[in-house]
Amino acid sequence: MTRQFHILFVIAFILAFESAAFAQAQNSSMPGAGTRRAYTLFGDLKVDESQAGDANTNIMFDVILYTRGNEVFGRQRVGNNGRYRFNNVFNGDYYLAVELDNVEIARMPVLISTNSVEQIRQDLEFRIKGAAARTSPGVVEADAYNRSSQNRALYQRAAHEIESKNFTQAIATLRSLVEADPKDYPAWTELGMVYFVQKDLEAAESSYTSAIQAKPDHVTALVNLGRVRLARKNNEGAVEALEAAVKADPKSATANYFLGEAYLALKKGSKAVVYLNEALKLDPIGMADAHLRLGALYNLAGYKDRAAAEYEQFLQKKPDYPEKKKLTEYIEANKAKPEAPKP
């Protein structure tokens, strides 16, 4: 049975112990750089069901921790009032993302610094709105793929195997599923994700490509294909996939953000600026890291006053940024000075 519901991402993350740190754009370090010290990143996922109406609220989310190199560090399936936990995380730059039915509904950059406490808590809160609710920016409508009872059992089995990190068996189960139904684009997308986790980028790209062949406008597969190609240093190919993602869903902040990243990788800053700004327009808080990317770009181009303006906007949104002092000093030294009044 097809189920439909709307998910509205609550802009403010709930921080219980230590605020999640937003990484500097200039820092493209991979996790493990610098002093290697193991941390735990964890948090509770809570869903406000007060406006759910008749929507099915028995749903599961995927919480994913990505490295800045777009590799999956870990992935966990969590229900309402559940807890995710990533152990043995080294200091470095990461992204924490949340998916529902293979659709990314939230993303935030995370910097784990050498000064962090060993137990870093980042709670996540969402609100479900009933199916009759009006769709608006920030709201995602997700439809489950119609499967036979046998294929539905395979998909559920694969989900449990992924949750238990039995990735080898999950691959076998998902391959059985897509062989039985080559048009099952969510299964192809899940298979791509598992290959991504296993760092088999070639197989991940092939799986995402199959998902797109089954559903050419499947935004999640297009965005993930772009990420894989970025990881494989195929920047032109990444732009191709991400441009298709933006065309399929111009309101996808994630697609716009990564298209900006792809243009940055190609050293096409003027094009990157367009899409990074669009990502900020669509999701001002969730994509706040784009201010840092823009600031770094303007700084390199010599437009230090523009860089200062971007950093200032970033700190307004993320005042607990651990490198706040450094950014504040840059802002004070480079922000545009008001014109002196004419005599």
Side-chain angles (χ1 to χ4, degrees), residues 7 10 41 48 57-58 85 87 195 200 248 257 273 283 338-339:
I7 299 278
V10 178
L41 176 65
D48 179 358
T57 58
N58 185 24
R85 180 181 294 272
N87 296 316
Y195 281 130
D200 189 341
Y257 181 87
V273 166
D283 188 357
E339 293 186 6

Side-chain angles (χ1 to χ4, degrees), residues 256 260 269-280 294:
N256 277 278
S270 59
K271 289 189 174 182
V273 166
V274 173
Y275 293 103
L276 291 172
N277 276 318
E278 184 65 16
L280 281 166
L294 289 166

Side-chain angles (χ1 to χ4, degrees), residues 254-295:
T254 302
N256 277 278
Y257 181 87
F258 276 103
L259 183 52
E261 290 280 5
Y263 275 123
L264 283 178
L266 286 172
K267 302 187 185 304
K268 295 184 177 180
S270 59
K271 289 189 174 182
V273 166
V274 173
Y275 293 103
L276 291 172
N277 276 318
E278 184 65 16
L280 281 166
K281 178 181 176 183
L282 292 166
D283 188 357
I285 304 298
M287 294 294 154
D289 198 45
H291 286 300
L292 296 177
R293 302 297 282 155
L294 289 166

Side-chain angles (χ1 to χ4, degrees), residues 204-339:
E205 180 166 352
S206 177
S207 298
Y208 288 134
T209 299
S210 295
I212 294 162
Q213 289 173 347
K215 186 175 174 55
D217 62 349
H218 186 33
V219 176
T220 301
L222 287 166
V223 171
N224 287 343
L225 178 60
R227 293 179 188 171
V228 170
R229 288 177 174 173
L230 281 171
R232 300 186 75 186
K233 309 301 182 184
N234 179 6
N235 299 326
E236 293 282 2
V239 166
E240 179 184 3
L242 291 161
E243 281 183 338
V246 170
K247 182 179 180 180
D249 184 7
K251 299 299 183 182
S252 170
T254 302
N256 277 278
Y257 181 87
F258 276 103
L259 183 52
E261 290 280 5
Y263 275 123
L264 283 178
L266 286 172
K267 302 187 185 304
K268 295 184 177 180
S270 59
K271 289 189 174 182
V273 166
V274 173
Y275 293 103
L276 291 172
N277 276 318
E278 184 65 16
L280 281 166
K281 178 181 176 183
L282 292 166
D283 188 357
I285 304 298
M287 294 294 154
D289 198 45
H291 286 300
L292 296 177
R293 302 297 282 155
L294 289 166
L297 184 62
Y298 289 139
N299 180 62
L300 287 173
Y303 300 116
K304 295 184 180 295
D305 56 338
R306 294 187 187 181
E310 294 294 339
Y311 293 145
E312 192 166 28
Q313 291 181 70
F314 174 78
L315 290 180
Q316 288 172 359
K317 297 174 182 179
K318 305 299 174 186
D320 295 327
Y321 180 57
E323 301 292 336
K324 180 178 180 178
K325 181 179 179 182
K326 184 184 296 184
L327 289 187
T328 300
E329 290 174 351
Y330 183 98
I331 292 166
E332 291 299 321
N334 296 285
K335 68 180 179 181
K337 302 295 189 290
E339 293 186 6

